[in-house]
Amino acid sequence: MTQSGSAPKTDPQAGASPVAMQIRDSIVVVSADDDRFRAALDRAANLARAEKRPLILYDWDAASLLAAPVPTFWSGDGPGERPDGPMDPDELDKAGRARIASQVREYRAHGVTAGGWLPAEPGAEALAAFAMKNAASALVVPDDLPGVDKLAPKDENGRDRSDPTSPGSAIRIVRAPGSTGA
């Protein structure tokens, strides 16, 4: 995992201009292979647009698949086969995550720089660790996300990084209405 993507990419289907996707200072939002987290997605997109930050759709369901969500070093066609930054819609399609690709295209079509992330580890703790490791600006989650109480990212000394009074705090936890049950 690196903190920024590689060369700028263009998504002709969404009409997006070339962007170098990055995670640092982005807004990370929980997404899924259906629309059950739509309220969180829309809230995050509005924040990203207002703050002029990239939006990373973190695929909550990807780590629960029976196989790795993206090729590993051993199963891919060689080094560099696993994306080192947020994935564009074509990469998401190739990884079998068509719904996430569609969501990324939708937000790009509405002027938001967006990409997808397919985590290898499941759960709220992995989500919080991802946001902290990559210095995300905000983490947007539905109120009823399993493990939402574990989302306060901790620094190396165990201090809560989401507390605005904490030294070195950088990640806001933004809650959205719960899932739709889709």
Side-chain angles (χ1 to χ4, degrees):
M1 260 190 293
T2 62
Q3 292 180 348
S4 63
S6 50
K9 299 176 183 179
T10 301
D11 180 6
Q13 294 167 329
S17 59
V19 292
M21 282 296 300
Q22 64 179 20
I23 299 171
R24 181 175 277 307
D25 295 324
S26 67
I27 296 180
V28 176
V29 61
V30 174
S31 186
D33 213 16
D34 55 30
D35 280 334
R36 70 184 182 270
F37 300 136
R38 177 52 69 175
L41 286 163
D42 290 343
R43 179 134 188 221
N46 288 336
L47 279 173
R49 197 174 4 267
E51 296 178 14
K52 296 178 176 42
R53 295 186 187 275
L55 179 64
I56 308 300
L57 283 69
Y58 185 96
D59 186 350
W60 185 253
D61 298 331
S64 65
L65 301 173
L66 294 176
V70 293
T72 63
F73 178 79
W74 295 275
S75 67
D77 290 333
E81 196 60 28
R82 186 189 198 296
D84 65 352
M87 298 169 74
D88 68 27
D90 292 336
E91 292 169 324
L92 290 163
D93 279 332
K94 288 177 188 172
R97 307 306 290 160
R99 183 63 190 127
I100 303 298
S102 174
Q103 292 167 346
V104 169
R105 285 185 180 101
E106 175 186 345
Y107 290 112
R108 285 184 174 191
H110 289 96
V112 176
T113 300
W117 185 262
L118 306 181
E121 299 288 324
E125 289 176 337
L127 170 63
F130 169 81
M132 190 182 91
K133 177 180 180 181
N134 292 288
S137 166
L139 180 54
V140 181
V141 297
D143 279 333
D144 61 352
L145 186 75
V148 74
D149 57 322
K150 298 177 183 173
L151 285 178
K154 307 284 186 208
D155 67 14
E156 63 278 357
N157 297 316
R159 290 186 299 251
D160 182 351
R161 289 283 307 263
S162 65
D163 177 359
T165 64
S166 175
S169 176
I171 302 173
R172 291 175 289 154
I173 305 291
V174 178
R175 294 193 181 197
S179 61
T180 63

